[in-house]
Amino acid sequence: MQVIISKEILSRFGEIAEMVKGREPVTITQYGRPTMLLMRYDDGINVLKLQAKEKMLSLLQERNGQTQPSPLSEEEMYQFVNEEIEAYYAQK
């Protein structure tokens, strides 16, 4: 993953956009700290869907009487992401 300071975004946007289109996320820093992550639209949508699924799972677990919802395992997260990717491309 590339790390780029915010001042470079304006002067190198085309080059940076090509990196991101090639599936390489870019971390943007301000004052030496990471503040943003630039990624492909489809990848960002998949991350948002995964977060929504985690929240829904957590709410369902709480509703079923579990006070501490168990976090998703790495395998479960990959499974959810892969299902969403497959569903997305199946629609096209």
Side-chain angles (χ1 to χ4, degrees):
M1 182 181 319
Q2 291 281 333
V3 177
I4 298 174
I5 62 173
S6 60
K7 288 182 181 180
E8 290 184 58
I9 294 296
L10 290 175
S11 62
R12 297 180 49 207
F13 185 77
E15 175 188 345
I16 294 166
E18 290 304 315
M19 281 191 283
V20 172
K21 287 178 191 176
R23 291 194 155 301
E24 183 177 357
V26 173
T27 299
I28 301 169
T29 63
Q30 291 178 307
Y31 305 107
R33 295 187 335 206
T35 57
M36 292 173 265
L37 180 64
L38 186 60
M39 64 176 62
R40 285 175 27 123
Y41 178 82
D42 292 343
D43 295 339
I45 292 298
N46 289 333
V47 169
L48 293 174
K49 287 179 180 179
L50 178 59
Q51 286 177 335
K53 284 184 177 186
E54 287 178 336
K55 185 175 181 178
M56 179 62 77
L57 179 61
S58 179
L59 291 172
L60 289 172
Q61 288 174 334
E62 288 176 16
R63 186 175 184 187
N64 290 330
Q66 296 178 356
T67 56
Q68 286 290 340
S70 59
L72 293 175
S73 69
E74 187 173 333
E75 183 179 317
E76 289 171 314
M77 287 191 291
Y78 282 123
Q79 181 182 351
F80 284 141
V81 170
N82 287 331
E83 287 172 1
E84 290 299 321
I85 291 170
E86 288 173 10
Y88 174 80
Y89 285 110
Q91 293 174 358
K92 287 190 168 199

